[in-house]
Amino acid sequence: MHALCLTLALVLSLLAASCQVAEPRLESVDATPAPGLAAPDDVTGASRTKHLGDAPAEAEAPPAQSGTARRMVYRAALGVEVARVEEAIESFLTAVRGMGGHLGARADGAVTVRVPAARFDDALAEARRLGRVLHQSLQANDVTKTYLDLEIRLDNARKSRERLLALLQKADKVEDILRIEEQVRRLTTEIEQAEGELKYLADQVAMSTVQVEFKAVAALVPERRRVASRFWWINQVGVERVRRDF
Amino acid sequence: MTSDPRTAAAALRRCLALLLPVLLAGCTSLGMDLPEGFLRLHASGWRAVSADDARLWVREFDDPERGTLAFWAATLTEEFTRNRGYAPVGASEVQDKAGRTGRLMEFAATVDGERCGYLIAVWSLGSKLRTVEFTARDEVYRRHVAAVRQGLATVR
């Protein structure tokens, strides 16, 4: 009888573990939206699903609140034409470090940097300041739902593992012990994976990615034939005038 | 009307006392603190050179059109890049000694077969434009540009 109860409990527990949706935990999260990019209006509704595997007391948790902060991942890619590539890269990296960011990758004239999400616009402005923008693309991905789903999956897996461990204490048949241990191992792997994914996502949210490809000015047109400006004073300034009239 | 010479002299002194600060204010000379490594030339206007021939020039121009700073900055960039073949290197806001906001622009250019750096800072002062220009061949430019940028905060 005892073995039957144990088996039944084990089966129920496994069923619960396979259900990976639950009422989302809605603790406050802080995704600082980059100032220059708008975020979608509603993201919390998508993650509001029914909890199937937990005890009734937990299932009756307070409903999701509409004030959940969004988690946004910002990315940008720019091409900037500059007079001196190396100098521009060094200047850009110095500014990025000053913003609390860091270099992600560097190859030839291209650099990929990570900056705190709140400084995303500042990093873009700095890259634009260094020369003439040839192209740029900005991306803002809302990962709130993915994040919440992952948290729920993780929460469920942890709870299931706890229940299995409790059952393991009570199990006395070798066959039951082996089956429970197998499931504990599976859940442990799942927890580790979910934790890793959450960590990666949190990093993507906290730090925006800016990729800048610096290109040297194709050819400085040497002493292009000068056409007088319609503004008198502009004809008085410039390298040629400083050299001639100084 | 009184013809007492003492009263007239006292009135004149009062007038002078009132006018003097105004006159002095009008005489505030155009220029900036000399960046390290430069020597002020006592020719007309405010000009300075370094031993390696970097040139620094502070000037004022009439602006009868009274263009905005944004307009002049955009026009200068357009003229230099499209008309003279300069390459823009950077641009930013800059403050002078009085805290007025100007526009700092830097370019790379090839003049007489030589690669040069060129910096121009512009302030719009109503009917006047104040400019600071700094130019030198590339390696010399890089040697002095930080000191010049720093010196822009002292432009008066």
Side-chain angles (χ1 to χ4, degrees), chain A residues 83-84 87 129-130 217 220 223-224 226-227 229 231 233-234 236-240 242-243 245-246, chain B residues 47-49 55 59 79 82-84 86-87 89-91 108 112-116 118 129 133 138 142:
Chain A
R84 292 178 287 268
E87 201 174 300
R129 191 188 69 78
L130 292 168
V217 177
L220 281 177
E223 298 159 74
R224 186 179 286 187
R226 186 176 165 183
V227 181
S229 168
F231 301 108
W233 78 272
I234 288 181
Q236 309 308 308
V237 297
V239 183
E240 305 86 346
V242 175
R243 286 187 161 206
D245 302 339
F246 193 79
Chain B
R47 304 168 201 216
V49 289
R55 298 174 186 199
R59 290 192 275 178
E79 292 275 355
R82 300 248 178 243
N83 199 10
R84 301 196 207 176
Y86 294 9
V89 174
D112 297 332
E114 197 168 54
R115 287 286 295 262
C116 305
Y118 175 68
L129 286 165
E133 291 173 276
D138 229 13
R142 271 181 264 176

Side-chain angles (χ1 to χ4, degrees), chain B residues 56-124:
Chain B
L56 186 58
W57 199 355
V58 186
R59 290 192 275 178
E60 269 190 356
F61 297 99
D62 288 333
D63 179 14
E65 290 89 0
R66 287 176 172 262
T68 62
L69 182 63
F71 175 84
W72 289 127
T75 306
L76 265 181
T77 304
E78 184 71 12
E79 292 275 355
F80 285 152
T81 54
R82 300 248 178 243
N83 199 10
R84 301 196 207 176
Y86 294 9
V89 174
S92 61
E93 279 192 352
V94 65
Q95 312 278 323
D96 68 3
K97 192 173 185 178
R100 286 175 294 228
T101 300
R103 191 77 182 153
L104 165 65
M105 290 159 280
E106 291 183 59
F107 299 89
T110 304
V111 175
D112 297 332
E114 197 168 54
R115 287 286 295 262
C116 305
Y118 175 68
L119 173 155
I120 181 166
V122 186
W123 284 267
S124 175

Side-chain angles (χ1 to χ4, degrees), chain A:
Chain A
M1 187 62 189
H2 178 66
L4 184 66
C5 286
L6 203 60
T7 308
L8 195 63
L10 178 60
V11 169
L12 280 173
S13 188
L14 291 176
L15 278 172
S18 64
C19 296
Q20 292 179 347
V21 285
E23 193 69 26
R25 282 193 342 206
L26 289 167
E27 71 238 25
S28 175
V29 288
D30 53 291
T32 312
L37 293 168
D41 289 335
D42 180 30
V43 290
T44 54
S47 62
R48 295 186 62 183
T49 48
K50 274 286 175 192
H51 192 293
L52 300 176
D54 278 339
E58 288 170 329
E60 287 161 17
Q65 291 170 22
S66 58
T68 306
R70 294 186 187 98
R71 291 184 182 269
M72 306 294 294
V73 175
Y74 297 100
R75 288 174 191 278
L78 289 91
V80 181
E81 189 180 53
V82 296
R84 292 178 287 268
V85 172
E86 281 304 308
E87 201 174 300
I89 289 176
E90 288 310 318
S91 173
F92 183 60
L93 291 178
T94 303
V96 163
R97 287 186 196 109
M99 293 172 198
H102 60 85
L103 175 69
R106 180 174 177 172
D108 298 327
V111 286
T112 303
V113 297
R114 310 286 314 283
V115 289
R119 305 300 303 273
F120 180 63
D121 273 359
D122 295 335
L124 292 184
E126 181 61 25
R128 292 187 191 115
R129 191 188 69 78
L130 292 168
R132 191 164 68 91
V133 176
L134 300 171
H135 62 82
Q136 65 175 4
S137 65
L138 307 178
Q139 241 186 319
N141 292 331
D142 189 342
V143 295
T144 313
K145 185 179 179 305
T146 312
Y147 201 95
L148 287 174
D149 284 350
L150 266 175
E151 280 191 327
I152 292 158
R153 206 173 93 196
L154 185 61
D155 193 39
N156 278 350
R158 280 178 180 150
K159 283 174 182 164
S160 297
R161 190 174 61 171
E162 278 167 24
R163 277 193 295 270
L164 284 174
L165 290 172
L167 283 175
L168 193 61
Q169 298 293 316
K170 295 175 191 167
D172 48 11
K173 282 173 71 178
V174 173
E175 188 190 344
D176 290 341
I177 290 171
L178 289 174
R179 282 165 64 195
I180 293 171
E181 279 180 349
E182 169 62 25
Q183 292 308 317
V184 168
R185 268 196 298 275
R186 186 183 65 78
L187 284 170
T188 303
T189 306
E190 191 178 313
I191 287 167
E192 283 168 359
Q193 276 175 354
E195 281 174 343
E197 285 174 48
L198 265 180
K199 196 176 168 190
Y200 172 76
L201 215 51
D203 175 67
Q204 293 292 304
V205 169
M207 302 290 279
S208 302
T209 305
V210 179
Q211 187 179 33
V212 187
E213 190 183 356
F214 291 102
K215 284 186 177 169
V217 177
L220 281 177
V221 183
E223 298 159 74
R224 186 179 286 187
R225 197 171 76 81
R226 186 176 165 183
V227 181
S229 168
R230 71 188 68 189
F231 301 108
W232 175 82
W233 78 272
I234 288 181
N235 292 319
Q236 309 308 308
V237 297
V239 183
E240 305 86 346
R241 291 308 291 243
V242 175
R243 286 187 161 206
R244 201 179 72 192
D245 302 339
F246 193 79

